[in-house]
Amino acid sequence: MPLFSAPSFAPGQVLTTCKLGLGQMLSWGSAFYLPAILAGAMGESLGIPPSRIFAAFSVALLMMALTGPVAGRLIDRWGGRPLLMATNLLFALGLVLLSQVQTQVQLFAVWLLLGLAMGAGLYEAAFATSVRLYGKAARGSIVGITLFGGFASTLSWPLTTWLLHGWGWREACLVWAGVQLLVLLPLHASLPRAPARASADAVVPPTGLPAAPAAPAAALRGQWLSLVLLALTFAAIWFIGTSMMSHLPRLLMVSGASATAAVAAAALVGPAQVASRIADYALLRRAHPLWSARIAVTAYPLAALLLAVFGAPGAWAYALAFGLGNGIMTVVIGTLPLAMFGAQGYGQRQGLLMVPARMNQASAPFLFGLALEQWQLGALWVLMLAASMAATALWCLRPKQV
């Protein structure tokens, strides 16, 4: 008997998943991925080094960590539709203000606002919205949302680069603000309203799905060790993922690859992530997500070993192995807590679980960049250590199901 059954999709669930996924793809592209393209031009315009832009971005990531639990609790209570619509307005306001900044103080203040929007409007919010609507049946939706999200950089980086060279960084911010108001706000307004709750703790699934039993609070109190292990796992995984998001081309060049080859190899990460998510859902959708996580986490040390042993010729294999593992782990971050603790209180619990991960995310670009500068390819040991911590935590967990 499978440890985690795959329930049927509810009426309208596929369409809702597509709406949430498209919203994630454009929201990630309109904020999180902007500094990678615009930092140089912004710094030159404001008369500050690009590192200062990334410092402001790190402040935004810290704000994300603080916002997550509050946003999750609001979604648990009211559903995701009103909150996601509010974040579209916040994103648009922040991007308009970003296009007008003239001083460092204004820059940091605007990124704080954008951090608030990201903390309440990115993956965890979309996952919680789906769980609030569909309960345990949301696993398929979470996979679908991440399939769209996997193409965020593929879409946003070329588009933002084109806007930058065609009009300028300020105009690029205004275009993305328009996307939030004209595309995403109506899109999220068309999401189904969350069903009424029978009580403060009950989750009522849409018509067509059986009601999932609520997990008693007393049972969750006894799960503190599992919560700690999950938080440790997610923190380690987000450190690895953000380090690579910031430094992958540079790491591959340190291994001996040319700049062109490094960028080409790094471009494989996005398709590899999407392919691994499809494969995971096709092959392991009836298995407990813990098994997907245990399999996927082995990709990180495997990738590091390939690059350390083969150097530049291993750059392509490194990017593929990293993308395959990271693609599944992004899904697991949404599905594993759902499988272990159920739908009750999912949003708030997910927000709390992700606080250490967001803190690590804020520090990862600086810390791994420093390791790369000091130790060159020896910086791979930092990733190996983080992957070992995640793997140990995952093997200490038991595949419980609520």
Side-chain angles (χ1 to χ4, degrees):
M1 182 176 179
L3 289 169
F4 190 102
S5 59
S8 302
F9 282 103
Q13 186 174 352
V14 173
L15 179 59
T16 298
T17 299
C18 291
K19 291 178 180 179
L20 288 169
L22 180 60
Q24 288 303 295
M25 181 172 67
L26 294 177
S27 289
W28 280 90
S30 64
F32 192 92
Y33 288 116
L34 285 186
I37 304 300
L38 301 183
M42 292 175 68
E44 183 178 353
S45 174
L46 298 175
I48 59 177
S51 60
R52 206 68 53 83
I53 307 296
F54 283 102
F57 182 59
S58 293
V59 169
L61 296 181
L62 291 175
M63 175 59 77
M64 284 181 68
L66 299 175
T67 305
V70 177
R73 186 173 183 178
L74 291 174
I75 292 173
D76 287 338
R77 183 170 182 83
W78 304 107
R81 179 175 175 270
L83 186 66
L84 290 173
M85 291 172 64
T87 62
N88 295 140
L89 297 175
L90 282 177
F91 273 124
L93 175 61
L95 288 164
V96 169
L97 293 176
L98 185 62
S99 74
Q100 304 301 312
V101 297
Q102 302 293 336
T103 68
Q104 291 188 55
V105 173
Q106 294 173 351
L107 177 71
F108 276 78
V110 170
W111 272 109
L112 272 174
L113 179 62
L114 286 170
L116 179 64
M118 289 190 291
L122 294 185
Y123 267 152
E124 285 74 47
F127 295 163
T129 298
S130 183
V131 171
R132 180 66 176 82
L133 288 169
Y134 304 112
K136 294 293 285 290
R139 184 181 182 182
S141 292
I142 291 172
V143 175
I145 290 166
T146 60
L147 289 179
F148 280 90
F151 289 108
S153 61
T154 305
L155 170 71
S156 68
W157 280 345
L159 177 57
T160 303
T161 300
W162 179 70
L163 292 171
L164 172 64
H165 294 307
W167 285 282
W169 70 269
R170 297 183 187 275
E171 289 75 11
C173 292
L174 290 174
V175 169
W176 280 114
V179 170
Q180 288 288 337
L181 286 177
L182 302 178
V183 178
L184 296 186
L185 182 60
L187 183 74
H188 287 145
S190 69
L191 290 171
R193 297 178 183 273
R197 303 177 66 168
S199 68
D201 296 319
V203 175
V204 181
T207 303
L209 286 179
L220 292 179
R221 289 193 206 106
Q223 299 295 329
W224 64 269
L225 180 58
S226 296
L227 291 168
V228 170
L229 290 172
L230 276 179
L232 177 62
T233 299
F234 295 167
I237 294 305
W238 275 82
F239 179 87
I240 296 172
T242 307
S243 295
M244 291 300 92
M245 193 181 301
S246 306
H247 299 290
L248 180 55
R250 183 181 169 197
L251 173 65
L252 299 181
M253 285 189 283
V254 165
S255 74
S258 67
T260 302
V263 172
L268 294 175
V269 170
Q273 289 186 138
V274 173
S276 68
R277 290 164 186 167
I278 294 173
D280 176 61
Y281 188 69
L283 302 176
L284 296 175
R285 68 178 180 272
R286 293 188 178 276
H288 196 287
L290 184 56
W291 293 105
S292 296
R294 288 171 174 173
I295 294 170
V297 78
T298 62
Y300 297 119
L302 175 62
L305 182 63
L306 289 170
L307 192 62
V309 171
F310 296 105
W316 297 77
Y318 178 90
L320 283 171
F322 167 75
L324 290 171
N326 204 60
I328 295 175
M329 289 305 300
T330 304
V331 176
V332 165
I333 284 174
T335 58
L336 186 51
L338 177 62
M340 295 192 68
F341 306 112
Q344 180 196 14
Y346 175 91
Q348 184 179 18
R349 183 170 52 251
Q350 189 73 353
L352 290 170
L353 282 172
M354 291 302 295
V355 168
R358 293 297 188 191
M359 295 293 186
N360 264 9
Q361 186 181 43
S363 63
F366 171 74
L367 292 179
F368 189 77
L370 183 63
L372 198 56
E373 180 180 327
Q374 296 294 322
W375 303 327
Q376 299 293 297
L377 208 55
L380 288 171
W381 284 106
V382 177
L383 302 182
M384 293 281 282
L385 177 61
S388 298
M389 292 173 58
T392 301
L394 286 170
W395 281 103
C396 288
L397 285 168
R398 295 292 176 266
K400 299 175 182 176
Q401 181 179 336
V402 175

